[in-house]
Amino acid sequence: MESFDSTKTSLREILKQVDEGRIQLPDFQRGWIWDDNRIKGLIASIIKSFPIGAIMLLETGNPSVRFKPNPIEGVSNCAIREPDHLVLDGQQRITSLYQTIVTNQIVTTRNEKNYQIKRWYYIDMKMALDPSIDLEEAIISVNENKQITENIGRDVKLDLSRPDYEYENLMYPVCMLDEYSFWRSQYNKYWNHDPQKSEFWDDFEQKIVNSYGNYMLPVIIMKKENSKEAVCQVFEKVNTGGVVLTVFELLTATYAADEFDLKHHWKSAKERFNTYRILDKTQNTDLIQAVTLLSRYRKKMMSIKMNPDSDESPAVSCKRKDMLNLSLEDYRSNAQDIVNAFIKAAQILAENHIYSARDLPYNTQLIPFAAIIAVLGSDVDIAGNKRKLMRWFWCGVLGELYGSANETRYALDLPQVVDWISHNGSEPKTIYDANFNPSRLYTLRTRNSAAYKGIYALLLGSGLRDWLSNSKIEIQNYFSERIDIHHIFPVAWCDKHKIPSDEYDCIINKTPLSGGTNRFISGDAPSRYLDRLERKIGVTGQEFDRILHTHLLDPEFMYKDDFGGFMLHRKELLLQLIENATGKPILRDNDIREEGVYLAEENGENEQ
């Protein structure tokens, strides 16, 4: 069976159905505002009988694909009826034509400088009938007072504020195209039925007005039997505005049909998230995906409990199709647990020295993280359980496993990590898959790399102290002292000694320090700035060495300005740090550079 029909319908009939509420918008369509020039071009194309593209409509009536309908902007008389069709593609064109032709109201649009303006549209009748003039030049727009002014509004160039001014200036209002007989009678009356003026009108009616009345619009109608996923995909592929439709917007329209305001629910969740900087970049689609993941997992567990011998329990999945099919009942049953779990995840990550969204290695990993916490409940606070959870987290980060194909990994993470933590099951696949090549340390240079942020957090968690203040770096002073990751052997010194930037710019040569400490270091050699630091803070050499050791540094290499020895020694200590976090050994003899040429991340935050 074909999923769509194609036909032609008169533009007049389409606008009539819009006015009657038989054609409306699904709630996921964006608000309308087209610019002044495009509206004038659209009107000209109609009059010239030029194609303006097909519109696509969706038949209503499928109980499994229900969207809250909204009338086209400007329609006021269709609140009591359900639409026959919803607009998937053509909203801008239909709305522009409806407002300029049918409503007899001023049109809100914008000018070439992107200022919102209000305009009435007219056809210059003389220009429209002049074959030497492009018809588009005959379409004009005037301000709210139906005037065209000059000299910053001081001088009125054209005044159409009264009907007789329209007749006198031979300016035909576009909003009268569908009611031309009334305007014609008043026009002839104004000119005392002058034969020449009547003949002029007849010519205008035949060539211009009738063009609108005879205009046929190609219409593609998606049948109501199409799935929600198909509707979503078609909308994204054919929508002429190039708008990407999110799952959240589609579900918003779906749930609205049952009087549930998903946007309001997300707003409430976001207000709670705002307390935690780690959640600053969490999106509404992240919430939907986590809810879908949890819902599918719980359904699978319930199915296994009810039929333990069955092999047909539902799969755990949270792909786009699954998200689109998330019922309102399932959302309501799981959303609050997920919101709470996102907050708990933020708290746990803060305990592990990830304090902001900027420092979060993978925002995507929060989705399975939250779902796992939602299933574990209060058991996540048991020390051994939390230690296992963070081992899974660090394996995902340092194995750099959440950059693509995440949905499949999420579906494995949730049941495997829960089983591993709660029932001492097998290690999750994410832990099995995680590997760290020692050579990767040389290519971790900016926060665009998840592993870079992961190592930064692990360094913060190693108990390091700031070199100038001698205070332990924790959340209490992380933001106030503007802690960031800075070079140990300064850039200026390295450049002076002709050390390649791809060596000194990597994470081996970086450590978290306060902004004040970084300025104090300046571009001096380590041997010079360490002496200055030691004198400045007034501690013994042995005490100062202990401060450096918290950063996994050997003072001996720094006092000797031995960059090569320093890099080899610190590289080893960083590898040990990674091993402790992931619980997996790193093969030192596997220190082979990756195939190909490493391309530095674009727009990276390359700290100084």
Side-chain angles (χ1 to χ4, degrees), residues 455-495:
I455 294 171
Y456 175 44
L458 290 174
L459 283 169
L460 289 171
S462 63
L464 47 79
R465 309 182 76 85
D466 185 68
W467 297 350
L468 189 59
S469 66
N470 193 21
S471 58
K472 189 175 180 181
I473 299 176
E474 296 178 308
I475 193 168
Q476 289 83 357
N477 59 0
Y478 181 80
F479 296 106
S480 62
E481 296 188 14
R482 293 181 292 111
I483 304 299
D484 208 340
I485 192 163
H486 297 289
H487 292 84
I488 300 166
F489 278 72
V491 172
W493 184 90
C494 291
D495 286 339

Side-chain angles (χ1 to χ4, degrees), residues 57 60 126 156 159 180 224 226 239 244 286 320 334 338 346 415 468 499 535 556 572 598 608:
L57 306 176
T60 59
K126 282 186 177 180
V156 177
D159 188 356
Y180 64 92
K224 61 184 178 183
N226 281 280
N239 187 267
V244 175
D286 299 331
R320 185 179 180 84
N334 296 282
I338 285 295
L468 189 59
I499 296 172
R535 292 195 301 271
E556 181 179 352
E572 173 57 30
Y598 177 74
Q608 299 299 319

Side-chain angles (χ1 to χ4, degrees), residues 266-282 339 342-343 346 355:
W266 163 246
K267 182 181 178 182
S268 300
K270 191 64 176 173
E271 286 173 356
R272 294 184 63 195
F273 290 172
N274 287 340
T275 306
Y276 303 90
R277 296 193 188 195
I278 296 173
L279 302 178
D280 283 352
K281 294 182 180 179
T282 302
V339 170
F342 268 106
I343 291 171
Y355 302 128

Side-chain angles (χ1 to χ4, degrees), residues 297 372 375-376 383-396 412-432 580-584:
Y297 172 81
I372 292 165
V375 174
L376 293 176
N385 292 347
K386 192 179 291 185
R387 187 163 51 248
K388 280 186 169 183
L389 180 64
M390 287 310 300
R391 185 183 167 207
W392 160 80
F393 176 82
W394 292 123
C395 282
L412 294 174
D413 281 334
L414 178 53
Q416 291 180 356
V417 175
V418 168
D419 182 59
W420 179 52
I421 291 175
S422 298
H423 307 293
N424 204 29
S426 301
E427 285 187 351
K429 189 174 188 297
T430 293
I431 292 180
Y432 177 82
N580 289 335
T582 62
K584 298 191 72 173

Side-chain angles (χ1 to χ4, degrees), residues 2 6 79 97 158 168 185 242 246 258 268 272 276 303 319 416 427 430 548:
E2 290 188 349
S6 59
L97 292 169
L158 177 64
E168 179 184 354
S185 67
T246 68
D258 291 315
S268 300
R272 294 184 63 195
Y276 303 90
S303 176
K319 294 182 179 179
Q416 291 180 356
E427 285 187 351
T430 293
L548 296 177

